[in-house]
Amino acid sequence: AQSVTQLDSQVPVFEEAPVELRCNYSSSVSVYLFWYVQYPNQGLQLLLKYLSGSTLVKGINGFEAEFNKSQTSFHLRKPSVHISDTAEYFCAVSNTDKLIFGTGTRLQVFP
Amino acid sequence: DSGVTQTPKHLITATGQRVTLRCSPRSGDLSVYWYQQSLDQGLQFLIQYYNGEERAKGNILERFSAQQFPDLHSELNLSSLELGDSALYFCASSPHQLSNTGELFFGEGSRLTVL
């Protein structure tokens, strides 16, 4: 069975600082990995996805993630965060018919 | 705006009651997914429909049922409601079967409060 683990439930950070949100996955087969973001009172939207090819994936709003097969990780990074990045971030893995989400990491950016 | 419409946005009801949540997918999308988001369980996959047929089932209780109609909109029916059913229910759509590569487009959710 496939699953994802988000190690941090909350990450507080000051504006313009770098941030890394951690995600580890388990799967016995090839994986397709995703990061979604949920802004307050909104639905989820896709930040970026890894399907194949380059292990460094760039997404919207300056976010990027690196697929590391040996570490079974897909950590999300941004070199300099803004107040507007405050949101809940979900890592997800896909099997043939559904997305399986992690428990989410709340990123709180302070001025 | 994802193009996925969910109604109602908010719903307050009592234990033992029955409610229906409605979802209109993005124009042209054939697949509809339902997810439940609660504080203690996170985002849980409930069920998926593709072009009117049930294709995948997750952690959906027997008190819950869903269907997708010929016009591709979907309804999630929750009956004999319990306090623990209070949650945010999301609908998402995609053009085809997820097939490992797809992106889901989420609605803004229906917040159900059971008193």
Side-chain angles (χ1 to χ4, degrees):
Chain A
Q2 294 171 317
S3 66
V4 289
T5 301
Q6 292 183 246
L7 299 167
D8 307 300
S9 60
Q10 295 188 62
V11 173
V13 64
F14 286 107
E15 195 173 19
E16 297 183 8
V19 70
E20 178 180 83
L21 306 184
R22 296 181 293 169
C23 172
N24 287 90
Y25 68 91
S26 67
S27 175
S28 58
V29 297
S30 297
V31 292
Y32 301 90
L33 294 159
F34 305 78
W35 275 98
Y36 278 77
V37 60
Q38 183 180 23
Y39 297 105
N41 300 314
Q42 293 187 28
L44 283 74
Q45 66 181 84
L46 183 69
L47 263 184
L48 49 79
K49 61 184 175 183
Y50 171 78
L51 305 179
S52 65
S54 173
T55 57
L56 184 62
V57 180
K58 293 189 184 297
I60 62 171
N61 300 338
F63 283 93
E64 62 181 33
E66 185 158 18
F67 172 64
N68 188 319
K69 190 173 181 180
S70 62
Q71 301 286 328
T72 61
S73 67
F74 189 56
H75 300 334
L76 182 69
R77 301 187 184 100
K78 186 169 182 177
S80 175
V81 295
H82 301 130
I83 295 285
S84 59
D85 293 322
T86 294
E88 190 91 17
Y89 292 80
F90 292 91
C91 183
V93 63
S94 170
N95 67 9
T96 55
D97 49 22
K98 58 184 179 286
L99 280 180
I100 300 166
F101 288 91
T103 51
T105 297
R106 172 146 183 82
L107 175 65
Q108 180 74 52
V109 181
F110 295 96
Chain B
D1 183 4
S2 67
V4 178
T5 304
Q6 289 187 247
T7 57
K9 291 194 187 309
H10 301 276
L11 189 55
I12 301 174
T13 188
T15 54
Q17 295 298 305
R18 171 190 168 96
V19 298
T20 297
L21 309 180
R22 194 179 192 277
C23 169
S24 294
R26 289 189 326 156
S27 177
D29 283 0
L30 299 178
S31 277
V32 169
Y33 305 76
W34 285 98
Y35 283 84
Q36 180 193 57
Q37 185 179 34
S38 59
L39 284 175
D40 56 342
Q41 300 223 6
L43 261 171
Q44 297 288 316
F45 168 72
L46 295 178
I47 198 163
Q48 181 222 350
Y49 281 83
Y50 175 75
N51 205 19
E53 294 186 8
E54 181 186 307
R55 285 302 175 96
K57 225 169 184 177
N59 302 321
I60 188 166
L61 300 172
E62 285 192 12
R63 300 183 285 108
F64 296 0
S65 65
Q67 55 183 326
Q68 186 179 27
F69 294 86
D71 66 352
L72 301 177
H73 91 272
S74 178
E75 292 182 356
L76 179 67
N77 301 295
L78 314 175
S79 62
S80 302
L81 286 168
E82 302 175 358
L83 295 178
D85 297 328
S86 295
L88 195 51
Y89 291 84
F90 283 109
C91 170
S93 73
S94 66
H96 307 289
Q97 292 267 60
L98 193 59
S99 300
N100 294 344
T101 62
E103 171 183 353
L104 294 188
F105 297 87
F106 282 80
E108 294 189 352
S110 292
R111 183 171 295 282
L112 173 66
T113 302
V114 182
L115 300 176

